[in-house]
Amino acid sequence: MSRIPEDFPPAAFIITAAGSGTRMGGRVKKEFLPLNGSTVLANSVSTFLSTGLFSYGLITYAEGTLEKTREALEPASDLLNKLKHKLIYCEGGGERQASVFNGLKALLDEGFDSDKGIILIHDGARPWISADTVVKVTEGAIKYGACAPVIPSIDAMKQINHDGFIEHHLRRQETVGIQTPQGFNFGQIVSAHSKAENDGFSYIDDTEIYDRYQSRVFTVDGDLSNRKITYMSDIEVTDENRTGLGFTQT
């Protein structure tokens, strides 16, 4: 988006980097790993900043990792300096849901618009997010109240029971994989998280919380390159084959 319309609502992003990353099997958090002369986290943040859409930004971090988080963002310092409001750092909770809610409350405390504001929530371990996806999700959230990028299911999808037996054979045409960023009306997602905080359910992502307590979530086409780093092999393979993945070096 080359020019922000005058009636464009205030927009903020939360990028989550508070997870333990236990499946990586290494001593360095995946968001802090080097990638293309930068870091995983800095690349995730840089794409959001490059769009020029956002006046607020917030990073969640794990207990005891604030300085490491700041260091991991140094490659994006030039872009961060252009952010209208100083980047906010917020300590996360025990689970992703709690970390996001902590971030939402921190933005509320900073005076972010709870009526018209738009918030995009993104996994810091998805460094190949494209500016085009960020813009599409933002526009969808403005129009529908909630929006998320999805990709077609590749594998045959099944539903299993607690004993490990297949219960239902789901139609591939009716299932998708969901990605981040996920965009929402700020006041509505804050309200939904407030209700979900102590309801006894465990939610896999923010669209599930929004859908339960607010309304339906609109979807846009995601990007196969927008992969999440889960295992060490993910970063090794993608770093070796980064050319052509829509990755922007900072």
Side-chain angles (χ1 to χ4, degrees):
M1 181 178 290
S2 58
R3 180 179 177 274
I4 302 176
E6 291 183 3
D7 60 347
F8 191 84
F13 63 80
I14 291 176
I15 296 187
T16 60
S20 61
T22 54
R23 286 177 289 183
M24 286 291 288
R27 294 184 179 181
V28 179
K29 277 174 57 60
K30 54 191 173 184
E31 293 89 354
F32 302 164
L33 290 170
L35 186 65
N36 279 19
S38 182
T39 66
V40 169
L41 183 59
N43 279 285
S44 297
V45 172
S46 293
T47 299
F48 282 81
L49 297 172
S50 70
T51 66
L53 299 177
F54 301 93
S55 54
Y56 285 82
L58 182 145
I59 309 295
T60 68
Y61 63 91
E63 181 181 2
T65 66
L66 177 56
E67 289 309 311
K68 289 290 186 182
T69 304
R70 292 181 186 274
E71 290 175 11
L73 285 171
E74 286 181 2
S77 58
D78 288 346
L79 285 171
L80 284 169
N81 289 335
K82 298 178 182 179
L83 197 61
K84 183 177 181 180
H85 298 274
K86 188 176 181 180
L87 184 71
I88 304 165
Y89 293 88
C90 176
E91 186 171 316
E95 302 291 339
R96 184 185 186 279
Q97 180 180 334
S99 295
V100 170
F101 193 31
N102 284 355
L104 292 171
K105 290 185 288 186
L107 281 167
L108 200 60
D109 290 342
E110 290 290 328
F112 186 63
D113 192 331
S114 60
D115 181 23
K116 297 180 180 179
I118 296 296
I119 181 75
L120 263 64
I121 303 168
H122 185 61
D123 296 328
R126 290 184 185 267
W128 293 283
I129 176 65
S130 70
D132 180 63
T133 299
V134 171
V135 171
K136 287 192 299 183
V137 171
T138 303
E139 292 175 339
I142 292 170
K143 186 173 182 179
Y144 298 103
C147 182
V150 296
I151 56 174
S153 298
I154 298 173
D155 299 317
M157 306 300 292
K158 310 293 179 180
Q159 181 178 334
I160 62 173
N161 63 21
H162 294 294
D163 298 317
F165 290 93
I166 293 175
E167 288 285 328
H168 299 288
H169 303 270
L170 305 179
R171 288 174 54 83
R172 183 183 297 169
Q173 298 90 334
E174 297 174 356
T175 63
V176 294
I178 197 160
Q179 301 178 322
T180 68
Q182 298 175 358
F184 307 93
N185 171 278
F186 181 66
Q188 290 176 358
I189 194 64
V190 169
S191 175
H193 264 273
S194 298
K195 295 173 182 176
E197 184 180 21
N198 297 307
D199 68 3
F201 290 92
S202 178
Y203 298 93
I204 194 168
D205 71 352
D206 300 292
T207 64
E208 189 177 5
I209 295 173
Y210 186 92
D211 184 76
R212 182 178 180 88
Y213 288 111
Q214 289 293 337
S215 185
R216 296 186 301 172
V217 178
F218 183 68
T219 63
V220 293
D221 289 340
D223 186 346
L224 292 177
S225 297
N226 183 21
R227 292 175 288 179
K228 185 176 181 180
I229 298 169
T230 304
Y231 302 100
M232 187 60 73
S233 58
D234 296 333
I235 189 78
E236 290 168 353
V237 171
T238 51
D239 197 17
E240 292 170 358
N241 300 286
R242 58 187 179 271
T243 304
L245 288 180
F247 180 82
T248 302
Q249 185 169 338
T250 59

